[in-house]
C-alpha cells in the first residue's frame, strides 16, 4: 500500500512473532487429554479472533500512515477530523447508557484530578502517535506501543 519494500531486518519480525507464539504454547505433559478436546474449538476461535484483530489493526495502521503521508492536510486538521467523527460515537454511547445520570448530575460527574490527568495523557499519547506515524513508520509505532506496555507492566 505504501510502495515500500521491507528489508530483511523488518521481515525478521515474523520470526519474533513465531518465537513469542512458541513460548506461549503449553507443554505436552498434560494428564487429562479429554479437557483439551473440549476446549480445542475455543482455542481455535480465540486464535482466529486474535489473527483477525492483528490483520485489521495492521491494515488500519498502514492505511492511516498512507493517509497521513500522502495528504496535504496538516496533522492538526487531520486529528480534528478524526476527533469530530469519534464524537458522534461517544455521545451516542453516553446517551445509550448514562442519559439519566448525565441529565441529573451533569456530564463531568465523578471527575477528579486523577481522571483529568488520564484524559490529558490519552490526548497527548494520541498526538504523539500521530507525529510518529507522520514522521516515522508504522513499524516504529508498534515497537513503541509494545515497549510502553512492557514498561507499564513493570511500573504497575
Amino acid at each position: 500500500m505504501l510502495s515500500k519494500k521491507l528489508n530483511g531486518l523488518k521481515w525478521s519480525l515474523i520470526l519474533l512473532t513465531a518465537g513469542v507464539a512458541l513460548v506461549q504454547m503449553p507443554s505436552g505433559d498434560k494428564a487429562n487429554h479429554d479437557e483439551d478436546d473440549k476446549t480445542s474449538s475455543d482455542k481455535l476461535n480465540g486464535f482466529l479472533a486474535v489473527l483477525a484483530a492483528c490483520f485489521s489493526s495492521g491494515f488500519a495502521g498502514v492505511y492511516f500512515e498512507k493517509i497521513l503521508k500522502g495528504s496535504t492536510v496538516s496533522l492538526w486538521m487531520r486529528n480534528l477530523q478524526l476527533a469530530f467523527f469519534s464524537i458522534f460515537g461517544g455521545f451516542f454511547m453516553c446517551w445509550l447508557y448514562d442519559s439519566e445520570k448525565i441529565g441529573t448530575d451533569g456530564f463531568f460527574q465523578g471527575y477528579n484530578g486523577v481522571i483529568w490527568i488520564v484524559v490529558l495523557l490519552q490526548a497527548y499519547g494520541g498526538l504523539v502517535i500521530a507525529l510518529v506515524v507522520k514522521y516515522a513508520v508504522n513499524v516504529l509505532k508498534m515497537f513503541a506501543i509494545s515497549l510502553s506496555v512492557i514498561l507499564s507492566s513493570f511500573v504497575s
Side-chain angles (χ1 to χ4, degrees), residues 10-69:
K10 291 179 183 168
W11 278 106
S12 67
L13 293 175
I14 294 172
L15 292 174
L16 178 65
T17 304
V20 170
L22 287 174
V23 167
Q24 296 297 321
M25 287 182 66
S27 64
D29 298 338
K30 296 221 176 194
N32 192 353
H33 294 289
D34 293 335
E35 291 180 13
D36 250 0
D37 293 336
K38 292 178 186 176
T39 61
S40 64
S41 65
D42 291 339
K43 288 179 183 179
L44 180 64
N45 288 339
F47 175 73
L48 292 176
V50 168
L51 196 63
C54 289
F55 277 109
S56 63
S57 174
F59 175 76
V62 171
Y63 185 72
F64 182 60
E65 182 178 351
K66 179 180 180 179
I67 294 297
L68 278 181
K69 290 185 177 179

Side-chain angles (χ1 to χ4, degrees), residues 10 18 26 35 38 46 48 56 60 68 71 79-80 97 137 139 152:
K10 291 179 183 168
E35 291 180 13
K38 292 178 186 176
L48 292 176
S56 63
L68 278 181
S71 174
N79 278 335
L80 286 175
Y97 289 108
V137 292
V139 174
S152 297

Side-chain angles (χ1 to χ4, degrees), residues 100-120:
E100 293 176 11
K101 286 185 179 181
I102 291 173
T104 58
D105 298 329
F107 186 77
F108 297 108
Q109 61 180 341
Y111 277 47
N112 57 23
V114 174
I115 301 297
W116 281 109
I117 290 172
V118 170
V119 168
L120 293 174

Side-chain angles (χ1 to χ4, degrees), residues 88-105:
F88 295 116
F91 279 144
F92 176 71
M93 296 308 285
C94 288
W95 173 78
L96 185 65
Y97 289 108
D98 292 326
S99 59
E100 293 176 11
K101 286 185 179 181
I102 291 173
T104 58
D105 298 329

Side-chain angles (χ1 to χ4, degrees), residues 6-17 20 129 132-133 136-151:
L6 298 178
N7 60 20
L9 182 63
K10 291 179 183 168
W11 278 106
S12 67
L13 293 175
I14 294 172
L15 292 174
L16 178 65
T17 304
V20 170
I129 286 176
V132 167
V133 171
V137 292
N138 193 41
V139 174
L140 181 63
K141 180 190 84 149
M142 292 300 162
F143 275 123
I145 289 172
S146 302
L147 184 62
S148 72
V149 168
I150 292 169
L151 288 176

